[in-house]
mmCIF file of all heavy atoms in Angstrom:
data_model
loop_
_atom_site.group_PDB
_atom_site.id
_atom_site.type_symbol
_atom_site.label_atom_id
_atom_site.label_comp_id
_atom_site.label_asym_id
_atom_site.label_seq_id
_atom_site.Cartn_x
_atom_site.Cartn_y
_atom_site.Cartn_z
ATOM 1 N N CYS A 62 -8.586 21.799 -8.023
ATOM 2 C CA CYS A 62 -9.872 21.272 -7.530
ATOM 3 C C CYS A 62 -10.083 19.893 -8.070
ATOM 4 O O CYS A 62 -9.528 19.558 -9.129
ATOM 5 C CB CYS A 62 -11.039 22.084 -8.091
ATOM 6 S SG CYS A 62 -10.998 23.855 -7.790
ATOM 7 N N GLY A 63 -10.773 19.035 -7.295
ATOM 8 C CA GLY A 63 -11.222 17.737 -7.818
ATOM 9 C C GLY A 63 -10.033 16.910 -8.269
ATOM 10 O O GLY A 63 -8.977 16.732 -7.593
ATOM 11 N N THR A 64 -10.189 16.387 -9.461
ATOM 12 C CA THR A 64 -9.180 15.489 -10.026
ATOM 13 C C THR A 64 -7.882 16.128 -10.264
ATOM 14 O O THR A 64 -6.773 15.493 -10.038
ATOM 15 C CB THR A 64 -9.738 14.908 -11.380
ATOM 16 O OG1 THR A 64 -10.813 13.968 -11.025
ATOM 17 C CG2 THR A 64 -8.726 14.136 -12.185
ATOM 18 N N SER A 65 -7.884 17.416 -10.580
ATOM 19 C CA SER A 65 -6.594 18.094 -10.755
ATOM 20 C C SER A 65 -5.823 18.211 -9.422
ATOM 21 O O SER A 65 -4.613 18.090 -9.393
ATOM 22 C CB SER A 65 -6.859 19.497 -11.373
ATOM 23 O OG SER A 65 -7.277 19.314 -12.692
ATOM 24 N N TYR A 66 -6.561 18.436 -8.399
ATOM 25 C CA TYR A 66 -5.944 18.462 -7.003
ATOM 26 C C TYR A 66 -5.339 17.111 -6.775
ATOM 27 O O TYR A 66 -4.157 16.957 -6.327
ATOM 28 C CB TYR A 66 -6.989 18.848 -5.976
ATOM 29 C CG TYR A 66 -6.473 18.740 -4.575
ATOM 30 C CD1 TYR A 66 -5.891 19.802 -3.948
ATOM 31 C CD2 TYR A 66 -6.548 17.518 -3.850
ATOM 32 C CE1 TYR A 66 -5.392 19.706 -2.652
ATOM 33 C CE2 TYR A 66 -6.069 17.385 -2.597
ATOM 34 C CZ TYR A 66 -5.477 18.508 -1.983
ATOM 35 O OH TYR A 66 -5.011 18.315 -0.704
ATOM 36 N N VAL A 108 -3.080 23.780 -11.245
ATOM 37 C CA VAL A 108 -3.373 22.571 -12.088
ATOM 38 C C VAL A 108 -4.825 22.583 -12.459
ATOM 39 O O VAL A 108 -5.718 22.580 -11.617
ATOM 40 C CB VAL A 108 -2.982 21.320 -11.274
ATOM 41 C CG1 VAL A 108 -3.014 20.128 -12.206
ATOM 42 C CG2 VAL A 108 -1.607 21.471 -10.651
ATOM 43 N N SER A 109 -5.036 22.553 -13.768
ATOM 44 C CA SER A 109 -6.422 22.581 -14.232
ATOM 45 C C SER A 109 -6.600 22.015 -15.620
ATOM 46 O O SER A 109 -5.894 22.543 -16.545
ATOM 47 C CB SER A 109 -7.044 24.038 -14.171
ATOM 48 O OG SER A 109 -8.236 24.064 -14.814
ATOM 49 N N GLN A 110 -7.385 21.005 -15.866
ATOM 50 C CA GLN A 110 -7.602 20.449 -17.207
ATOM 51 C C GLN A 110 -8.098 21.535 -18.125
ATOM 52 O O GLN A 110 -7.542 21.889 -19.125
ATOM 53 C CB GLN A 110 -8.511 19.266 -17.100
ATOM 54 C CG GLN A 110 -8.662 18.409 -18.347
ATOM 55 C CD GLN A 110 -9.553 19.108 -19.425
ATOM 56 O OE1 GLN A 110 -9.070 19.148 -20.574
ATOM 57 N NE2 GLN A 110 -10.709 19.533 -19.078
ATOM 58 N N SER A 111 -9.257 22.136 -17.719
ATOM 59 C CA SER A 111 -9.945 23.109 -18.572
ATOM 60 C C SER A 111 -9.222 24.460 -18.656
ATOM 61 O O SER A 111 -9.278 25.166 -19.632
ATOM 62 C CB SER A 111 -11.332 23.344 -18.075
ATOM 63 O OG SER A 111 -11.273 23.969 -16.773
ATOM 64 N N GLY A 112 -8.527 24.766 -17.578
ATOM 65 C CA GLY A 112 -7.895 26.110 -17.472
ATOM 66 C C GLY A 112 -8.934 27.187 -17.208
ATOM 67 O O GLY A 112 -8.576 28.395 -17.268
ATOM 68 N N GLU A 113 -10.160 26.851 -16.935
ATOM 69 C CA GLU A 113 -11.192 27.786 -16.755
ATOM 70 C C GLU A 113 -11.930 27.707 -15.394
ATOM 71 O O GLU A 113 -12.903 28.402 -15.193
ATOM 72 C CB GLU A 113 -12.226 27.630 -17.874
ATOM 73 C CG GLU A 113 -11.761 27.754 -19.321
ATOM 74 C CD GLU A 113 -11.351 29.190 -19.689
ATOM 75 O OE1 GLU A 113 -11.636 30.121 -18.936
ATOM 76 O OE2 GLU A 113 -10.653 29.350 -20.730
ATOM 77 N N THR A 114 -11.512 26.854 -14.577
ATOM 78 C CA THR A 114 -12.175 26.609 -13.256
ATOM 79 C C THR A 114 -12.163 27.887 -12.431
ATOM 80 O O THR A 114 -11.021 28.446 -12.174
ATOM 81 C CB THR A 114 -11.593 25.452 -12.517
ATOM 82 O OG1 THR A 114 -11.699 24.297 -13.380
ATOM 83 C CG2 THR A 114 -12.252 25.132 -11.207
ATOM 84 N N THR A 117 -10.005 27.957 -9.191
ATOM 85 C CA THR A 117 -8.565 27.939 -9.394
ATOM 86 C C THR A 117 -8.136 29.246 -9.999
ATOM 87 O O THR A 117 -7.026 29.746 -9.664
ATOM 88 C CB THR A 117 -8.289 26.737 -10.377
ATOM 89 O OG1 THR A 117 -8.888 25.542 -9.864
ATOM 90 C CG2 THR A 117 -6.775 26.459 -10.403
ATOM 91 N N ILE A 142 -6.528 30.407 -17.274
ATOM 92 C CA ILE A 142 -5.384 30.124 -16.351
ATOM 93 C C ILE A 142 -4.057 30.075 -17.173
ATOM 94 O O ILE A 142 -3.045 30.663 -16.674
ATOM 95 C CB ILE A 142 -5.624 28.803 -15.599
ATOM 96 C CG1 ILE A 142 -6.788 28.996 -14.662
ATOM 97 C CG2 ILE A 142 -4.304 28.320 -14.873
ATOM 98 C CD1 ILE A 142 -7.335 27.756 -13.937
ATOM 99 N N GLU A 157 -10.630 16.464 -23.897
ATOM 100 C CA GLU A 157 -11.297 15.555 -23.066
ATOM 101 C C GLU A 157 -12.760 15.884 -23.008
ATOM 102 O O GLU A 157 -13.118 17.010 -22.590
ATOM 103 C CB GLU A 157 -10.675 15.556 -21.642
ATOM 104 C CG GLU A 157 -11.139 14.402 -20.738
ATOM 105 C CD GLU A 157 -10.409 14.498 -19.377
ATOM 106 O OE1 GLU A 157 -10.697 15.474 -18.676
ATOM 107 O OE2 GLU A 157 -9.597 13.613 -19.060
ATOM 108 N N VAL A 160 -17.246 14.137 -18.898
ATOM 109 C CA VAL A 160 -17.167 15.046 -17.775
ATOM 110 C C VAL A 160 -16.107 14.572 -16.744
ATOM 111 O O VAL A 160 -15.401 15.355 -16.139
ATOM 112 C CB VAL A 160 -18.583 15.302 -17.126
ATOM 113 C CG1 VAL A 160 -18.491 15.921 -15.758
ATOM 114 C CG2 VAL A 160 -19.392 16.145 -18.103
ATOM 115 N N ALA A 161 -16.086 13.290 -16.509
ATOM 116 C CA ALA A 161 -15.154 12.719 -15.534
ATOM 117 C C ALA A 161 -13.735 12.691 -16.168
ATOM 118 O O ALA A 161 -13.555 12.253 -17.266
ATOM 119 C CB ALA A 161 -15.491 11.290 -15.176
ATOM 120 N N SER A 162 -12.803 13.323 -15.507
ATOM 121 C CA SER A 162 -11.495 13.487 -16.040
ATOM 122 C C SER A 162 -10.686 12.161 -15.905
ATOM 123 O O SER A 162 -10.592 11.610 -14.788
ATOM 124 C CB SER A 162 -10.783 14.605 -15.315
ATOM 125 O OG SER A 162 -9.493 14.890 -15.869
ATOM 126 N N THR A 163 -10.138 11.626 -16.951
ATOM 127 C CA THR A 163 -9.364 10.403 -16.893
ATOM 128 C C THR A 163 -7.992 10.514 -17.513
ATOM 129 O O THR A 163 -6.987 10.552 -16.777
ATOM 130 C CB THR A 163 -10.134 9.269 -17.643
ATOM 131 O OG1 THR A 163 -10.505 9.664 -18.992
ATOM 132 C CG2 THR A 163 -11.438 8.831 -16.893
ATOM 133 N N GLN A 169 -1.428 14.831 -16.287
ATOM 134 C CA GLN A 169 -1.035 15.870 -15.323
ATOM 135 C C GLN A 169 0.051 15.276 -14.408
ATOM 136 O O GLN A 169 1.067 15.956 -14.074
ATOM 137 C CB GLN A 169 -2.231 16.310 -14.496
ATOM 138 C CG GLN A 169 -3.189 17.210 -15.187
ATOM 139 C CD GLN A 169 -4.496 17.407 -14.505
ATOM 140 O OE1 GLN A 169 -4.883 16.514 -13.685
ATOM 141 N NE2 GLN A 169 -5.195 18.468 -14.753
ATOM 142 N N GLU A 242 -8.774 9.597 -5.808
ATOM 143 C CA GLU A 242 -9.210 9.748 -7.191
ATOM 144 C C GLU A 242 -10.143 8.581 -7.533
ATOM 145 O O GLU A 242 -11.168 8.794 -8.221
ATOM 146 C CB GLU A 242 -8.053 9.777 -8.117
ATOM 147 C CG GLU A 242 -8.320 9.860 -9.592
ATOM 148 C CD GLU A 242 -9.228 11.023 -10.042
ATOM 149 O OE1 GLU A 242 -9.462 12.012 -9.252
ATOM 150 O OE2 GLU A 242 -9.657 10.947 -11.175
ATOM 151 N N LEU A 245 -13.438 9.489 -5.960
ATOM 152 C CA LEU A 245 -14.079 10.527 -6.689
ATOM 153 C C LEU A 245 -14.780 10.001 -7.946
ATOM 154 O O LEU A 245 -15.945 10.435 -8.237
ATOM 155 C CB LEU A 245 -13.073 11.688 -7.017
ATOM 156 C CG LEU A 245 -13.535 12.839 -7.820
ATOM 157 C CD1 LEU A 245 -14.670 13.566 -7.075
ATOM 158 C CD2 LEU A 245 -12.404 13.867 -7.983
ATOM 159 N N LYS A 246 -14.072 9.150 -8.731
ATOM 160 C CA LYS A 246 -14.641 8.597 -9.953
ATOM 161 C C LYS A 246 -15.881 7.821 -9.629
ATOM 162 O O LYS A 246 -16.933 7.965 -10.265
ATOM 163 C CB LYS A 246 -13.671 7.740 -10.681
ATOM 164 C CG LYS A 246 -12.476 8.407 -11.335
ATOM 165 C CD LYS A 246 -12.814 9.139 -12.616
ATOM 166 C CE LYS A 246 -13.033 10.639 -12.349
ATOM 167 N NZ LYS A 246 -11.855 11.494 -12.455
ATOM 168 N N GLU A 249 -18.737 10.218 -8.645
ATOM 169 C CA GLU A 249 -19.280 11.185 -9.618
ATOM 170 C C GLU A 249 -19.979 10.419 -10.825
ATOM 171 O O GLU A 249 -20.930 10.952 -11.334
ATOM 172 C CB GLU A 249 -18.280 12.143 -10.086
ATOM 173 C CG GLU A 249 -17.232 11.619 -11.043
ATOM 174 C CD GLU A 249 -16.369 12.703 -11.671
ATOM 175 O OE1 GLU A 249 -16.845 13.789 -11.974
ATOM 176 O OE2 GLU A 249 -15.177 12.423 -11.853
ATOM 177 N N ALA A 365 -20.985 19.530 -14.393
ATOM 178 C CA ALA A 365 -20.528 20.204 -15.666
ATOM 179 C C ALA A 365 -19.099 19.939 -15.846
ATOM 180 O O ALA A 365 -18.304 19.787 -14.952
ATOM 181 C CB ALA A 365 -20.818 21.661 -15.586
ATOM 182 N N LYS A 366 -18.653 19.936 -17.127
ATOM 183 C CA LYS A 366 -17.220 19.640 -17.431
ATOM 184 C C LYS A 366 -16.335 20.701 -16.849
ATOM 185 O O LYS A 366 -15.277 20.438 -16.330
ATOM 186 C CB LYS A 366 -17.056 19.473 -18.938
ATOM 187 C CG LYS A 366 -15.597 19.203 -19.361
ATOM 188 C CD LYS A 366 -15.095 17.850 -18.979
ATOM 189 C CE LYS A 366 -13.762 17.524 -19.342
ATOM 190 N NZ LYS A 366 -13.221 16.418 -18.511
ATOM 191 N N SER A 367 -16.760 22.001 -17.099
ATOM 192 C CA SER A 367 -15.890 22.998 -16.486
ATOM 193 C C SER A 367 -16.692 23.871 -15.536
ATOM 194 O O SER A 367 -17.789 24.357 -15.946
ATOM 195 C CB SER A 367 -15.072 23.635 -17.584
ATOM 196 O OG SER A 367 -15.433 24.924 -17.834
ATOM 197 N N VAL A 368 -16.180 24.057 -14.352
ATOM 198 C CA VAL A 368 -17.015 24.744 -13.309
ATOM 199 C C VAL A 368 -16.602 26.188 -13.293
ATOM 200 O O VAL A 368 -15.596 26.573 -12.659
ATOM 201 C CB VAL A 368 -16.749 24.056 -11.905
ATOM 202 C CG1 VAL A 368 -17.623 24.631 -10.831
ATOM 203 C CG2 VAL A 368 -17.083 22.522 -12.083
HETATM 204 C C1 F6R B 1 -13.655 14.891 -11.813
HETATM 205 C C2 F6R B 1 -13.480 16.137 -12.431
HETATM 206 C C3 F6R B 1 -13.481 17.383 -11.580
HETATM 207 C C4 F6R B 1 -12.423 18.360 -12.138
HETATM 208 C C5 F6R B 1 -12.490 19.729 -11.408
HETATM 209 C C6 F6R B 1 -11.419 20.643 -11.834
HETATM 210 O O1 F6R B 1 -13.573 13.859 -12.747
HETATM 211 O O2 F6R B 1 -13.392 16.242 -13.641
HETATM 212 O O3 F6R B 1 -13.208 17.052 -10.288
HETATM 213 O O4 F6R B 1 -11.212 17.809 -12.042
HETATM 214 O O5 F6R B 1 -13.745 20.326 -11.614
HETATM 215 O O6 F6R B 1 -11.473 20.907 -13.200
HETATM 216 P P1 F6R B 1 -10.241 21.446 -14.010
HETATM 217 O O7 F6R B 1 -9.155 20.479 -13.974
HETATM 218 O O8 F6R B 1 -10.761 21.693 -15.366
HETATM 219 O O9 F6R B 1 -9.839 22.706 -13.281
#
Side-chain angles (χ1 to χ4, degrees):
C62 303
T64 288
S65 293
Y66 173 89
V108 187
S109 172
Q110 189 285 129
S111 62
E113 303 289 349
T114 300
T117 312
I142 292 171
E157 192 180 64
V160 164
S162 185
T163 52
Q169 284 166 337
E242 177 58 10
L245 179 56
K246 290 286 97 95
E249 75 171 322
K366 180 68 181 160
S367 111
V368 185

